[in-house]
Amino acid sequence: MTDLDRRADDLDRLAIDTVRFLAVDMVEAANSGHPGAPLGQAAMGYWLWTRHMRHNPSDPRWPNRDRFVLSCGHASALLYALLHLAGYQLSMDELKRFRQFGSHTPGHPEHEPDFGIETTTGPLGQGIGNAVGMAIAERMLAARFNRDGFPVFDHRVWVHASDGDLMEGIASEASSLAGHLRLGKLNVLYDDNEISIDGPTDLSFREDVAKRYEAYGWHVHRVENGSDDLAALDAAMQAAREETDRPSLLVVRTHIGYGSPKQDSADAHGSPLGPEATKETKRNLGWPEDATFHVPDGAQDRFAQAAHQGARAQLEWEAMAARYAAAHPEAAAELAERRAGKLPAGWTDHLPSFPGDGDPLATRKASGKVLGAVAPQLPMLVGGSADLTPSNNTNTDAYSDFSADNPSGRYLRFGVREHAMGSIMNGIALSGLLIPYGGTFLIFSDYMKPPIRLAALMKQRAIYVFTHDSIFLGEDGPTHQPVAQLASLRAVPNLLVFRPADGNETAAAWKIAIENRTGPSALALTRQGLPPIPAAAERAADGVPRGAYVLADCDGEPDLLLLATGSEVWVCMEVQKRLAADGVACRVVSMPCWELFGAQTADYRDEVIPPSVSLRLGVEAGASLGWHRWVGPAGDVIAVDRFGASAPWKDVAKAYGFTVDAVEERARGLLG
Ligand SMILES: Cc1ncc(C[n+]2csc(CCOP(=O)(O)OP(=O)(O)O)c2C)c(N)n1
Ligand SMILES: [Mg+2]
C-alpha cells in the first residue's frame, strides 16, 4: 500500500495536501511566487470551500453566491488551486502557466468574475476594505429587494487575511466601520502565522489583535491549530455563520510553509522551496516525491459534493426568484434591469441645466444640485463622504443614512477614513448592481490612491467627488491645497479625471461618470464660486463627452489658443474678450477631461487644437506636468509648480498669476 492509498482513507487530508502541492508545484514551475501561505492556509481554505461557503462553480456570477476574498493576494497559488479543484473553469494548464504572460493565473489575483476571482488583491489590506464594501452591498441590496419570504440577497463574505493585511492601516479603518455597521455576514479568517517578510511578527507587531477587533465590536473566535485541526476550523466557521449581528474574526493560528523544512520561517514566504526542499516536503507529508501537479483519486470528491450543493442552492434560489417575479413584479423588473446593467429610462432628463447668466456658483455646489436632481431617479446610486459632507455637497434630500438599523439608507457616513472609503467603494461597485460615489478634498485623494488605482485596474465604476480642487480653496493654506494631485490622477490608466468649468460642465461630467462602465471617474470641483459661462450652457453637453471643445472663437485661424480647465476657464474667456477687442484672433478651449480628449479622432483633436497654431497658453491651477502634451514646444503654461499659501483666494490668485490681468499679460507676451 502506498502512502497515497493509505491517505485516501481520509479524503479531507488528501484534498488538503493536494491543494498544498498544487500550490507548491505552481511556484516551482514559475520559479517564483509564495509557497508559505498556501501551505499554512490550505486546511482553512479547503474546509471553507467545501463545508461552509455557498458557491456554485458552474455559475460564478450567481448573484447570491458567497463572496471569497483572498486579501493576502500573495497566496494566489492557494486560490488557483482551490478554484481548479472546486470545478471553476481554471484548467490544470492554467495552473502550469502560473505567473506567465497572458495566463489566467497572474502573480496576484486579478478580478475575473467568470473564473471566480471576485477582486484584485495583493496590495495588503485592500481585500479587507473590499470585503466590507461587499458586505455593505449585500445589506443594501437585501433592503431594497428582499420581501417577506423572498430572501433574494442573503449571502456572506469570506476573507483570508494575513498579518500584513492586519498591520495595514486600511484594515483598521475598514474593520472599525464594519463593526460600527454590525456587518454580521462578514467573516475574516486571519492567518495568524506570526511571520512576515522581515521575520517573526514580534519585530514590529505585538498588539493583541483579538482584543483590538473586540474593541471594534467584532465577534472573535480562535483556532489554535489551524493548519491541522479540522474540527476546530469547522466550529469556528460555524460560530461565524451563527453570529448575525457582528462581523466575525477567526484568529487561526497556522504554520507558514507547513510541512516544509522552512516551516515557521520567513524563508517560506516568497520564494520557491527549491527542488530538494520540495521533495522533502512531499516526503514529510506522505506525498509521492516525484509527482507534480498531481490530483489523486478522491481529492476532488468533497469539492464535487460542495459544487453539487451549490448548484442545488442556486436552483432553489432561481425557483424562488421566479415566484418573486410573480409576487413582486416591479421589484423583480428593477433587479433584472440592474443585472442587465441598464440605468432607468429617462434619468438624464432630470439632469439640471444652469443658466448662462446666473450668479457665481462653485462647481461643488453645482455637483450637489446634480446629485439632488438625479439621485431620486437612480436607486443604484449610493455614496457618502469621509466626514466632509457639508463641504463636498454629497448628501441629498433623497437619502437617509445607511446604518445598522437603517439598511435601506443610501448615504454612507464613512467617517474620516478616506483609504477605507475608496476600498469599500470598490467592494460595492463589484456587486455590479450599485454605483458608489465618495467625497473628500482633492488633496486627500492621496489618502485613497491605492483603491483608486485598483478601481481603474479592475475597470470598476466608482465616482470620486473631490472638492476644494486648487490653491483657490484659500485660507486653509498649503496643507490643504492640491498641486500635484491632478497630474498624478491623470497618470492612472482607465481613470477619467474631470475638472469642469461651471455648472453645466459639472452636470455633463456626472452624466458620463454615471454611465461609464469601463472605469472610475474623478470630479475635481471648486470651493469658490465661478461665474457661469454662457457658451458652456449651450455646448457643454456635447463638448464634455469629447474631453475638450471650443468655448470662444475668432473668425478664421486663431493666432493664439488659450487652453484651460475648471476655474481657469472663465478667466481665459475674459482674456479672450480683451484680446478680441484689440483684434487678436484668439480661441478658448475648455479641456475638462484630458483622457476623453486623447481618445477622440485625430481629426477632432486637430480641429480643436490646430497643429498649425503654435502659440498656445495652458492655464491650470495645478502642476504643469502633462500640459506640454497640449501646448507643444512653443507653448507656455501658467501653472502651480510650488506649494500654495494661506490667504483669501483672490489674493492667492494674484500672487500666483491667475488673475485676468496676469493671464492677459502672459498671453500678450507670447504674441510678442
Ligand atoms: C501594501 C503592501 N505593502 C507591502 C507588500 C509586500 N508584501 C507582500 S506579503 C508581505 C508581508 C508578508 O507577511 P504576511 O502578510 O504575514 O504573509 P505571510 O508571510 O504570512 O504569508 C509584504 C510586506 C504588499 N503586498 N502590499
Ligand atoms: Mg504572516
Side-chain angles (χ1 to χ4, degrees), residues 228-271:
D228 258 330
D229 187 345
L230 300 180
L233 284 169
D234 188 60
M237 291 174 199
Q238 193 56 39
R241 286 170 62 181
E242 282 163 14
E243 170 63 60
T244 54
D245 200 40
R246 293 174 296 172
S248 292
L249 181 77
L250 308 183
V251 180
V252 185
R253 182 73 179 91
T254 68
H255 297 281
I256 191 169
Y258 180 87
S260 79
K262 298 178 182 178
Q263 177 173 323
D264 298 320
S265 144
D267 293 347
H269 165 83
S271 42

Side-chain angles (χ1 to χ4, degrees), residues 37 74 122-124 162-165 168 191 193 195-197 256 269:
H74 62 275
L124 289 164
S162 62
D163 298 304
D165 282 304
E168 288 288 352
D191 178 31
N193 62 17
I195 293 287
S196 67
I197 290 179
I256 191 169
H269 165 83

Side-chain angles (χ1 to χ4, degrees), residues 498-543:
F498 292 94
R499 190 162 184 260
D502 75 347
N504 290 306
E505 285 200 1
T506 305
W510 262 107
K511 175 174 184 288
I512 297 163
I514 288 170
E515 291 177 341
N516 178 16
R517 302 189 65 190
T518 57
S521 302
L523 311 181
L525 305 169
T526 65
R527 169 179 185 259
Q528 78 276 24
L530 304 180
I533 298 171
E538 284 160 35
R539 294 185 208 157
D542 292 330

Side-chain angles (χ1 to χ4, degrees), residues 161-220:
S162 62
D163 298 304
D165 282 304
L166 297 197
M167 288 185 209
E168 288 288 352
I170 186 178
S172 302
E173 294 181 16
S175 301
S176 162
L177 187 59
H180 169 75
L181 292 172
R182 301 208 298 268
L183 298 174
K185 289 179 178 168
L186 173 64
N187 305 321
V188 175
L189 284 72
Y190 164 35
D191 178 31
D192 177 21
N193 62 17
E194 296 183 355
I195 293 287
S196 67
I197 290 179
D198 272 14
T201 46
D202 66 8
L203 288 171
S204 60
F205 187 58
R206 293 190 26 180
E207 73 220 31
D208 186 329
V209 172
K211 279 199 186 137
R212 181 177 136 206
Y213 271 75
E214 276 163 10
Y216 293 147
W218 287 50
H219 155 238
V220 177

Side-chain angles (χ1 to χ4, degrees), residues 26-111:
M26 274 184 251
V27 174
E28 287 303 304
N31 199 24
S32 86
H34 301 76
L39 282 168
Q41 294 177 29
M44 71 191 207
Y46 166 77
W47 201 261
L48 174 64
W49 282 51
T50 55
R51 303 306 206 283
H52 291 279
M53 191 166 80
R54 199 173 41 168
H55 60 132
N56 179 9
S58 58
D59 184 0
R61 288 185 185 261
W62 174 28
N64 199 35
R65 67 191 182 280
D66 282 0
R67 296 334 191 238
F68 179 80
V69 175
L70 185 72
S71 193
C72 43
H74 62 275
S76 57
L78 170 75
L79 176 60
Y80 303 145
L82 288 169
L83 286 167
H84 173 75
L85 294 170
Y88 288 84
Q89 58 161 305
L90 198 66
S91 67
M92 185 61 91
D93 281 345
E94 289 296 335
L95 301 196
K96 291 179 179 167
R97 299 207 307 133
F98 181 53
R99 294 184 153 233
Q100 303 309 304
F101 192 81
S103 76
H104 294 289
T105 46
H108 294 83
E110 295 175 25
H111 176 234

